[in-house]
């Protein structure tokens, strides 16, 4: 029997149905959306008379086409303003949690999940953005999807997805002064090329990886895309749990 990795265990636990000689019907625990890839998905749901299956499993924030400063003022660019307004409208219509401009937890879509404790080990997470792989730092299977797939997840909480191949990259030893997680991932990319992990989900391991902070691990997983990978994953440990403890959406009491 083939040995199972952390990736295998999470993936297999979320397969609703396997299509013979085809993809898996794959359940998604958390779905992050923003103002760029969600409007057309919502429009298609409306055209088809379909609602959002599990609104509580989706979290929204506008982050791609929003100003860095003066966020309390009207967005000058017409298209950007329309996208943000559509996100607000759709979240209100379908009962989706929105962290809007000016709110306490507004931020980058890949960052608010970890900040709030929404991102947790063992989860499956998707977003209409390639760098969704960032969440893999917490021991989650996280990857970017396209607009039609955003629609699919909103409607069914599942996605049709073939299981990626697996790759393990171990980095051992102590980091020298001034060496950061970005140096690690850039070095890996320099060795295997910008297409070296195409079709793979990468599990990062080794003492150098274990020594990293959660923010540094997020950088590693975020940039997995830059070598063609479907996503990156780091096994959760005490560093992970300490980061999540006490976060707004983290488990408490017996659940913790």
């Amino acid at each position: 029997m083939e040995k199972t990795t952390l990736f295998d265990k999470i993936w297999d636990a979320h397969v609703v149905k396997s299509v013979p000689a085809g993809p898996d019907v794959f359940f998604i625990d958390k779905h992050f959306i923003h103002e760029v890839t969600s409007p057309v998905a919502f429009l298609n749901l409306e055209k088809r008379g379909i609602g959002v299956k599990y609104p509580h499993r989706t979290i929204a924030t506008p982050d791609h086409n929003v100003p860095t400063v003066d966020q309390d003022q009207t967005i000058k660019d017409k298209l950007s303003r329309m996208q943000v307004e559509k996100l607000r409208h759709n979240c209100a219509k379908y009962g989706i949690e929105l962290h809007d401009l000016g709110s306490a937890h507004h931020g980058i879509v890949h960052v608010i999940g970890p900040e709030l404790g929404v991102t947790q080990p063992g989860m499956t997470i998707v977003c209409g953005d390639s760098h969704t792989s960032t969440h893999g730092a917490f021991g989650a299977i996280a990857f970017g999807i396209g607009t039609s797939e955003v629609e699919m997840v909103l409607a069914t909480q599942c996605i049709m997805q073939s299981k990626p191949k697996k790759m393990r990259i171990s980095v051992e030893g102590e980091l020298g002064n001034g060496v950061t997680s970005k140096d690690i991932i850039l070095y890996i990319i320099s060795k295997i090329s910008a297409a070296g992990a195409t079709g793979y989900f990468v599990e990062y391991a080794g003492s150098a990886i274990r020594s990293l902070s959660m923010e540094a691990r997020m950088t590693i997983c975020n940039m997995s895309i830059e070598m063609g990978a479907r996503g990156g994953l780091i096994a959760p440990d005490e560093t992970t749990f300490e980061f999540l403890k006490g976060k707004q959406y983290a488990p408490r009491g017996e659940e913790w």
Side-chain angles (χ1 to χ4, degrees), residues 21 29 44 50 59 77 90 101 104-105 129 155 168 171 213 239 245:
D29 291 313
N44 287 339
I50 299 174
I59 291 180
D77 181 76
N90 289 323
L101 293 171
H105 299 298
D129 187 293
R168 174 174 171 154
V171 185
S213 67
T239 300
K245 192 172 185 179

Side-chain angles (χ1 to χ4, degrees), residues 131-199:
H131 290 102
T132 305
S133 56
T134 306
H135 301 272
F138 292 80
I141 291 180
F143 53 90
I145 56 177
T147 297
S148 60
E149 293 170 315
V150 171
E151 178 187 347
M152 188 186 303
V153 177
L154 289 170
T156 68
Q157 207 56 44
C158 291
I159 189 171
M160 302 289 283
Q161 193 78 194
S162 296
K163 189 176 183 180
K165 295 177 287 185
K166 296 171 292 183
M167 179 187 297
R168 174 174 171 154
I169 296 177
S170 294
V171 185
E172 304 290 354
E174 297 182 8
L175 300 184
N177 289 333
V179 179
T180 69
S181 56
K182 191 166 186 178
D183 295 310
I184 293 175
I185 192 65
L186 287 174
Y187 179 78
I188 292 170
I189 295 169
S190 75
K191 289 297 181 182
I192 70 172
S193 84
T198 300

Side-chain angles (χ1 to χ4, degrees), residues 5 21 30 33 44 50-51 56 59 98 101 138 151 197 223-224:
T5 67
K30 285 295 178 182
I33 60 173
N44 287 339
I50 299 174
H56 68 282
I59 291 180
L98 171 65
L101 293 171
F138 292 80
E151 178 187 347
M223 293 187 65
S224 301

